[in-house]
C-alpha cells in the first residue's frame, strides 16, 4: 500500500484513558469521530499497562495504517539543557543530555530512552525520557498488528510545537494541565530554563499557582504580574485567583485548532468504550 494512501490512527495514551481518532486517506480524507476508552490502573503493573491493553483491543484492524501517538506527561520525564557553546556534535549533545538526566534522576535514566529536541549552542534544548519497556511494548504492537509507527511524542512537546508561533514574551511560561498532572516549561530570551512535571494531589488551580510561584522564585526574577500560556482541555473551568500575581493566557485554539486525539472532558458517554471503526 502506498504511504500516500495509508489510513492514520492518532492516539493519546494516558494512565486511565486512551483517545483514538482514525483518518481515511485519499482524494477526500475522512476523519472518524473520536473514541475515548477509560481504564483502571493494574495493581503492581506499570502505570501504562492498562492503557496499552485497551489500545491493543482497538487495533485489531490496524494493519497497513500509520500510528501517531501522543504520550501523557505521566509517562515522561524532562530536563532543560542550558546552552553550552562548546557542545556541537550529536555525540556531545547526547552525552550532555544523559549527564543532565542522571543529575536529576540518578540511575533511573538507565531504563529510559532519551529524545532531544533540536540542539542549539545558543539556546540549548529539551530532553525527554520515556520508559524503555513502554517503547518496546509499542514496537511489539506495531509488529504484531502490522501498522507503521510513524511518531511518538510527549504531550508537552506536541502542544508546544503546535502553538509555538503564538507564544509571546521574552520570559515565557507554558503550562500543560491534564488529569492528575501539571507540566510547566520556562524559557527566558529563547533559552530553556526549566521544566517542572508533577502530580496533582488535590486541586489543579491551587497546585498550578504554587508551582508557578516556585518556578518564579527559582528563576530569580518575579515580575509584579507574570503571564502563563495555559493549555488545559480537561480542565475548562480552571482559573487562577485574582490579584495572585499571575494571569493565565489560554492558548488561541481558534487560530490553530486542537488536534482531534488530544484529551478533553468526556461528555458523550455513548461513544465511550466503543470499538474503533
Amino acid at each position: 500500500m502506498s504511504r500516500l494512501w495509508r489510513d492514520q490512527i492518532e492516539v493519546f495514551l494516558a494512565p486511565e484513558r486512551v483517545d483514538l481518532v482514525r483518518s481515511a486517506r485519499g482524494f477526500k480524507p475522512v476523519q472518524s469521530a473520536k473514541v475515548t476508552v477509560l481504564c483502571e490502573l493494574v495493581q503492581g503493573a506499570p502505570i501504562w499497562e492498562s492503557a496499552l491493553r485497551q489500545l491493543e483491543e482497538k487495533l485489531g484492524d490496524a494493519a497497513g495504517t500509520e500510528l501517531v501517538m501522543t504520550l501523557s506527561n505521566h509517562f515522561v520525564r524532562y530536563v532543560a539543557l542550558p546552552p553550552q557553546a562548546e557542545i556541537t556534535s550529536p555525540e556531545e549533545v547526547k552525552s550532555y543530555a544523559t549527564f543532565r538526566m542522571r543529575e536529576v534522576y540518578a540511575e533511573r535514566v538507565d531504563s529510559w530512552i532519551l529524545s532531544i529536541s533540536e540542539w542549539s549552542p545558543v539556546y540549548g534544548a529539551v530532553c525527554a525520557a520515556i520508559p524503555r519497556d513502554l517503547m518496546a511494548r509499542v514496537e511489539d504492537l506495531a509488529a504484531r498488528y502490522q501498522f507503521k509507527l510513524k511518531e511518538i511524542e510527549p504531550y508537552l512537546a506536541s502542544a508546544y510545537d503546535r502553538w509555538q508561533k503564538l507564544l509571546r514574551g521574552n520570559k515565557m511560561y507554558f503550562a500543560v494541565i491534564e488529569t492528575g498532572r501539571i507540566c510547566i516549561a520556562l524559557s527566558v530570551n529563547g533559552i530553556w530554563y526549566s521544566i517542572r512535571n508533577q502530580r496533582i494531589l488535590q486541586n489543579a488551580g491551587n497546585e498550578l499557582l504554587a508551582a508557578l510561584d516556585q518556578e518564579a522564585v527559582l528563576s530569580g526574577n518575579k515580575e509584579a504580574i507574570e503571564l502563563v500560556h495555559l493549555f488545559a482541555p480537561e480542565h475548562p473551568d480552571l482559573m487562577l485567583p485574582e490579584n495572585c500575581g499571575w494571569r493565565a493566557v489560554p492558548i488561541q485554539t481558534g487560530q490553530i485548532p486542537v488536534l482531534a486525539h488530544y484529551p478533553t472532558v468526556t461528555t458523550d458517554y455513548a461513544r465511550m468504550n466503543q470499538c474503533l471503526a
Side-chain angles (χ1 to χ4, degrees), residues 79-80 100 126 173 184-187 191-196 215 218-219:
V79 294
R100 288 280 294 134
V126 169
Y173 290 90
I184 302 170
L186 168 61
S187 68
I191 298 172
W192 289 107
Y193 186 84
S194 66
I195 301 178
R196 174 185 292 259
E215 286 300 307
L218 291 173
S219 74

Side-chain angles (χ1 to χ4, degrees), residues 5 10 14 16 29 32 47 69-70 83 95 103-104 126 147 153 155 184 226 234 243-244 254-255 260 265 267:
W5 298 102
E10 295 171 290
E16 297 180 78
S32 65
I47 62 169
M69 182 177 290
T70 302
S95 296
E103 272 191 319
V104 179
V126 169
F147 60 79
E153 190 171 25
Y155 193 19
I184 302 170
E226 294 277 13
E234 294 176 84
N243 303 317
C244 68
Q255 297 184 46
V265 176
T267 56

Side-chain angles (χ1 to χ4, degrees), residues 80-134:
L81 303 178
Q84 299 284 345
E86 66 275 14
I87 295 178
T88 56
S89 72
E91 294 76 18
E92 290 172 332
V93 173
K94 184 177 180 181
S95 296
Y96 179 38
T98 302
F99 171 77
R100 288 280 294 134
M101 273 285 181
R102 197 174 296 279
E103 272 191 319
V104 179
Y105 299 106
E107 70 278 358
R108 285 177 290 173
V109 72
D110 296 331
S111 62
W112 296 341
I113 294 176
L114 305 188
S115 176
I116 306 165
S117 66
E118 184 176 357
W119 168 256
S120 165
V122 177
Y123 298 109
V126 169
C127 181
I130 65 171
R132 194 179 305 276
D133 290 348
L134 172 56

